[in-house]
Amino acid sequence: MLSFKPFKGIHIKEEYIEKFPIYTPEKYTEEQIKAKLKDKNPSYIDIIRPTFFKGESPLKNRFKKVRKRFEEYINENLLEHDPASIYIYEQKKRNGEIFKGIIGLVSVEDFKENRVKIPEKTIEQKQKIFTEFLDITYLQTNPVLLTYDSNSKLDVMMELEMKSKPLFHIEDELDISHKIWKVDNRLKLAQFKETIENLPALYLADGHYRMAAAIEHSDKIKEKAKSKDFLFDMNHQVMSLLISSHSLKIYEYNRLIKSLGSLTKDKLFTKLEKYFTINEKGEQPYFPSHKHHISMYFDKKFYGLYIKHEYRGTPDDLGNIDTYLFNKFILGPVFNISDENEEKKLVSYLKGTNDIKGIINMKQVVDNGDYQIAFGFYSIPFSDLKVISDLNLKIPAKSTYIEPELLSGLIMLDMK
């Protein structure tokens, strides 16, 4: 049975909330980061400021300074501590898209025991760094994103809470609206807890390396602990945002390859023709509007690659995932890329848009000369991700980009 708990959330005081949270630093340019660091207002980027000064000290020491800065914010009375609560979250984009969900704690054991199912591989380097961040700062500042099959009872419970005044409401620099409602009534907490814990399963949609780091951090704490009562220890919980699968937006990740190596054009197409039917599309950008259709851009032209029927659906249901088929029938046999280290050197990933815009972006990157060839995908539907997860299989990393994209520092958990 799943575990879902309230927690004593920490957030900046309302008068500073507008400029406090940020998206992951990877989303910003170096100039944007520098501008944010110059801002004198209390902010999450100010708390993690030491992480940006790479030449000054080892990462471990910089993380210690992050913890120290967080405690300074507490001592300066800039942060508020809530009673044990869960939070209703709503994000509204300029195009009218709305995402809503529930923030609470899910047990590390739920991930380890496969009650929270994980469809995608984790990027180990990111996991290693974030584990050290948790080991030293004891801070979770951005929830992992979990999803579940639509549940009408949860929808009604959330809607009722959202009729009241939110704890806070901000619009970020992208004009995206974020609202948070706090739920701390014991009866309501019990109702949410019971409903969520009776869900058949949860699925990890985003935050794979943060989830893996939380597990590793928990294991380290257990090794050190004298007591075996871990029920109320926050180090064994993962701050999570639960959103219905119907509310998720799943985008594709396209692939860019730096070099063909010794491959000639003729050899490239001969190798591809073993597994794919190839249709030349010309100079007009081609978006693959179906599963098992892949867009290839090479030598100023687009091609449609259609995986031959005898290679679909094998083995088991991983063969229904186009990024898996790409790795199996293109990366390996065509480009001789057989392990993750080689893949990191030669392959880059570009977020798609579920339409022709992502293909045009892919074309522009190749035309700029940094890459020789690119492959565009049709996004993976949640139904396929669910099947893979239920079989305890893993699709390749960087197969999906999922919205909503969350802010760091909106609600925080101190595990100390």
Side-chain angles (χ1 to χ4, degrees):
M1 186 176 180
L2 289 164
S3 167
F4 186 75
K5 295 179 181 178
F7 65 104
K8 296 178 180 179
I10 299 170
H11 51 84
I12 195 72
K13 287 193 169 181
E14 187 176 2
E15 56 263 40
Y16 305 114
I17 186 62
E18 196 70 33
K19 292 189 175 182
F20 186 83
I22 63 167
Y23 290 102
T24 174
E26 297 170 359
K27 190 177 179 69
Y28 302 102
T29 65
E30 189 174 340
E31 290 73 23
Q32 289 173 320
I33 291 290
K34 287 179 179 178
K36 287 181 177 293
L37 289 171
K38 288 179 182 177
D39 194 327
K40 301 301 181 183
N41 289 298
S43 63
Y44 178 71
I45 202 168
D46 179 51
I47 292 177
I48 63 170
R49 178 184 296 270
T51 63
F52 294 100
F53 304 122
K54 299 178 181 179
E56 291 197 353
S57 62
L59 193 59
K60 182 177 181 179
N61 292 342
R62 283 181 271 143
F63 286 159
K64 287 179 180 178
K65 290 178 181 178
V66 170
R67 178 68 204 189
K68 182 181 178 183
R69 189 70 183 121
F70 173 77
E71 291 177 353
E72 287 171 353
Y73 265 58
I74 293 175
N75 295 334
E76 292 165 12
N77 202 29
L78 294 170
L79 299 175
E80 290 187 354
H81 293 67
D82 291 333
S85 308
I86 63 170
Y87 301 87
I88 310 300
Y89 171 74
E90 179 195 75
Q91 181 183 124
K92 187 173 183 179
K93 300 178 71 175
R94 283 181 293 180
N95 62 7
E97 286 179 344
I98 296 177
F99 307 97
K100 60 182 179 180
I102 308 161
I103 301 174
L105 301 184
V106 174
S107 170
V108 162
E109 292 302 314
D110 285 334
F111 292 88
K112 295 173 77 171
E113 297 297 327
N114 205 35
R115 290 186 288 272
V116 179
K117 300 177 185 294
I118 305 165
E120 194 167 320
K121 290 183 178 179
T122 301
I123 299 175
E124 292 184 5
Q125 183 60 28
K126 280 189 171 184
Q127 175 188 334
K128 182 179 178 182
I129 292 171
F130 197 69
T131 299
E132 190 169 13
F133 178 86
L134 295 179
D135 291 344
I136 295 170
T137 68
Y138 289 87
L139 296 174
Q140 293 187 43
T141 60
N142 193 352
V144 301
L145 183 62
L146 306 182
T147 190
Y148 56 90
D149 286 326
S150 183
N151 183 287
S152 58
K153 185 176 180 180
L154 275 180
D155 290 341
V156 170
M157 292 164 66
M158 281 191 283
E159 290 294 338
L160 287 173
E161 295 303 320
M162 293 167 69
K163 289 180 179 179
S164 62
K165 182 182 177 181
L167 178 66
F168 45 73
H169 175 203
I170 65 169
E171 290 196 3
D172 63 31
E173 64 260 50
L174 302 177
D175 295 328
I176 297 175
S177 165
H178 305 265
K179 291 182 181 179
I180 290 277
W181 289 263
K182 179 179 67 176
V183 181
D184 57 9
N185 176 278
R186 290 180 65 183
L187 179 59
K188 292 178 179 179
L189 289 176
Q191 290 173 335
F192 273 103
K193 178 179 174 66
E194 180 184 14
T195 305
I196 291 170
E197 290 185 344
N198 281 303
L199 292 172
L202 294 171
Y203 299 85
L204 181 63
D206 192 37
H208 294 73
Y209 74 89
R210 285 182 279 121
M211 172 278 304
I215 292 174
E216 192 173 348
H217 170 74
S218 169
D219 289 343
K220 289 179 181 180
I221 295 295
K222 285 183 178 180
E223 286 179 10
K224 296 176 184 177
K226 295 179 181 178
S227 169
K228 297 301 179 184
D229 183 9
F230 303 119
L231 186 60
F232 301 104
D233 189 337
M234 294 297 101
N235 289 284
H236 312 297
Q237 308 293 327
V238 183
M239 185 168 64
S240 305
L241 171 62
L242 281 59
I243 290 184
S244 164
S245 60
H246 289 177
S247 297
L248 289 181
K249 193 82 172 181
I250 303 176
Y251 295 91
E252 71 278 12
Y253 257 113
N254 297 324
R255 268 60 173 159
L256 306 161
I257 297 181
K258 292 181 180 178
S259 171
L260 268 63
S262 61
L263 271 180
T264 64
K265 183 175 181 179
D266 287 343
K267 284 183 179 179
L268 170 68
F269 280 84
T270 298
K271 287 189 173 187
L272 286 171
E273 283 170 349
K274 180 178 179 180
Y275 306 103
F276 297 89
T277 300
I278 303 175
N279 287 342
E280 183 178 322
K281 301 291 184 179
E283 296 181 3
Q284 195 69 21
Y286 163 64
F287 175 71
S289 56
H290 297 282
K291 184 167 72 172
H292 299 325
H293 291 191
I294 297 174
S295 174
M296 182 176 79
Y297 181 64
F298 172 66
D299 198 21
K300 302 293 184 180
K301 288 184 179 180
F302 281 92
Y303 300 85
L305 306 185
Y306 310 133
I307 185 76
K308 292 180 179 179
H309 285 276
E310 60 263 36
Y311 298 113
R312 301 179 187 184
T314 55
D316 299 320
D317 287 275
L318 273 172
N320 285 316
I321 305 298
D322 288 342
T323 52
Y324 170 83
L325 296 175
F326 172 81
N327 284 9
K328 185 174 179 64
F329 298 123
I330 297 179
L331 272 194
V334 177
F335 293 101
N336 294 318
I337 298 173
S338 57
D339 63 47
E340 291 183 0
N341 290 329
E342 289 179 343
E343 186 176 341
K344 287 177 185 176
K345 292 176 183 177
L346 293 173
V347 182
S348 294
Y349 310 93
L350 187 66
K351 293 174 184 175
T353 59
N354 278 352
D355 57 23
I356 200 68
K357 292 178 184 177
I359 299 299
I360 293 171
N361 293 339
M362 184 181 85
K363 174 185 182 298
Q364 288 174 343
V365 174
V366 174
D367 287 346
N368 286 340
D370 293 330
Y371 300 90
Q372 280 194 269
I373 189 168
F375 298 86
F377 296 86
Y378 182 71
S379 63
I380 302 172
F382 174 74
S383 57
D384 282 354
L385 293 177
K386 183 179 176 183
V387 169
I388 294 300
S389 302
D390 289 341
L391 291 170
N392 202 24
L393 299 171
K394 297 287 186 291
I395 64 176
K398 293 287 187 181
S399 288
T400 60
Y401 167 64
I402 296 180
E403 288 186 346
E405 190 170 2
L406 306 178
L407 290 166
S408 295
L410 202 58
I411 295 290
M412 297 178 283
L413 169 65
D414 186 0
M415 297 183 289
K416 270 196 173 181

